[in-house]
Amino acid sequence: MEMQKGSSVGNIAKDLGLAITGLSDREVLIVGRGRTQYFTLNIKSGHLYPTERVDREQICGQKQTCLLNFEIIVEEKMKVFGVEVEITDINDNEPRFQEDELEFRISELASVGTRYSLEGAQDPDLGTNSVQGYYLSSNKHFSLDVQTGADGDEYVELVLEKSLDREEQDVHDLILTATDGGDPVRSGTAQIRVIVLDANDNTPVFSQPVYKVNVLENVPVGSLLLTVNATDPDEAINSEVTYSLRKMKDKASQIFQVDSKTGEISTVGNLDYEEAASYEMEVQAKDVGDLSARSKVLIAVIDINDNAPEITVTSVIKSVSEDSPPGTVIALIHLHDRDSGENGEVTCSIPRNIPFRLQKSFDNYYSLVSDRALDREQVSDYNVTITATDRGTPPLSSTTTILVQLSDINDNAPIFSQTSYTLYITENNPRGTSVSSLKANDPDSEENARVTYSITGTQIQEAPLPSSISINSETGALYALRSFDYEQFREIRFQVQAQDGGSPPLSSNVSVTLFILDQNDNSPHILHPSFPTDGSTGVELAPRSSEPGYLVTKVVAVDADSGQNAWLSYQLLKATEPGLFSVGLHSGEIRTARSFVDKDALKQSLVVLVKDNGQPPLSATATVTVVVADSIPEILSDLSSLSAPADPQSSLTLYLVIAVASVSCLFFTFILVLLALRLRRWRNSQLFDSSSVTFSGVPVSQFVGIDGVRAFLHSCSHEVSLTTDSRKSQCIQSALNYSNRPIDEKKEGLLIAENLRNNEGNDALGPVSFLYLLF
């Protein structure tokens, strides 16, 4: 067992059968195998004594059996005796914690049952003299849990038994005690301070539970061995993780270190395979709230494998056609490793995401062959990285890259960027105007990708399509060969073909619709009042008793353009009596703006401007003559007074006018009687109900009120011709029904034309007057 200096180990003379007397004469020597001579022989008593205190932990460390070997040489007899002294352990060391004071920062939201790893105590003694148990000072929030792993190691964890409340108590001081099983029992303590923090409720998690690495024994100091990685789902400062190594023996702590920020484990001392073939330790990841996780690190020290495989490309095809079948040989590769045994056994591989594979040919020869169909349009060339790896520990590898280029075949037709095209051009365009440009792409290369364009398809009605549209065969630019007129046609539909230069050529078609956009190039056209062709002037009738707002007539116009270019507006440009009439801005209706007075002229001349909404706007004017009178006789008398000459010799003409007026009055009376009879029949008829009869499409001015009832009247025309010498006259009466004519062609009111001629020296008189009554 471990002894102090001067303690007797045993009687060597008795054990070896040597006489105690005369030992000094025989010159007995003790020869040790180490640098330190732990024992000496008492020649007088034959006992073996230690030269200094024998400490088993210092001599043998953690070995279960500790033996000290040395030889005793008896020079007189020339004999050598081997001596083996077993050093047994005594409980001379108390458990010690690596840190005397531990501090934990725990969130007040930590869940009950949360565990916090504690560093176990170390006791150099063995067996029952080593650490046997742990105890925690009394505390209602925490308890201690000690678990034994599969490898026999004990793991000490601080368990949260009751939720923390920082506002109630922000610091908890605990004492952790470790005791051994010796006699007497020895113990060691560590102070644990728990600081309660706000929420940090996620524990770091390592990417893997065990990290293994094989390290060559000749790696230089400072070499990076591996990088451990632990992540914390928390954010900001709570996600910052610090790393530390735990459960390391004294020698391991002098060889390895971990970067607390990056998790990189590197060497700080030299490795020696003869001293230790492997190292085992724990790495702990802890965040700012002292939530931690641990992972085991296994480091194996191995001998050197210092030759990497050699890769030789013996032959290679420079270009492979994209239609090559699977299995086409592309390159021949030879592998060689100068090492022997497992270190010289080589395996070869290429990436999996390429359409090639390696096929073993003979011995260390491999063929690179295509594995599936190739498509140059998807990938035009491949950089195939060949990796050769030996079976050494750790394995060594080398790489080389083969460039495989694919040659093109014409297997793709040109593709337009759109499935169909809708184009626009404004009418009245100059010849040769560029309309647009079509583009078709062919993913093939060189001549197979050269695209030419042509127009195919239909014709337009007015002219053949080739004389209207052309396309640049190289660029796909479309040009207008003529000036288009929106009023003639509004769209052109045709197809464009794109054809490549391959053999055989491939092509595709696309539909194109060219819309002609309208310009304001047409002035409004007046439909009503229409321009007279017989030399007369159109006149509208307005009763003097008309109330303000009375509809006199309506100006009707159209515009050959479309859209806003055809939106028409009406305004009164000129009037005999300003303020007497008004014109609807959008309807063109001419209405009285006030009641008539005696001073208002009988004949009112109005000029109405009709303007479209184009830019710039175009316009037209219509002249309307309005006669103000309550009855036809009054009109005739007024017209007679206005048209009769002052010459006393023209009395005959006055008589003719009176005759015409009389005939007109008789005809008007006949019409009234006829209407009265028809109205009576209509009232008695069961075919028509007064509540259901409507006259749609008939202007108000074509009705005349009789006894409060409105009836539709036919229009009538008279022509009178008188001469002085023959004393003959001619009267032509005709009745026309306008009930089926469009509203814009119906005439409202009274149309009167006068043409009086005085021919000196000629007794003949031309037509005196024409009277048209339209109701």
Side-chain angles (χ1 to χ4, degrees), residues 652-653 656 721-725 757-759 762-768:
L652 180 59
T653 302
L656 292 176
S721 178
L722 300 176
T723 59
T724 57
D725 56 350
R757 295 182 179 178
N758 294 322
N759 298 323
N762 190 354
D763 295 334
L765 294 176
V768 177

Side-chain angles (χ1 to χ4, degrees), residues 80 110 123 156 161 266 302 305 350 356 365 540 582 586 642 766:
V80 179
D123 192 329
V156 184
E161 297 290 346
S266 57
I302 60 174
N305 175 30
I350 60 174
F356 304 100
Y365 282 90
E540 303 291 342
S582 64
H586 299 292
L642 291 173

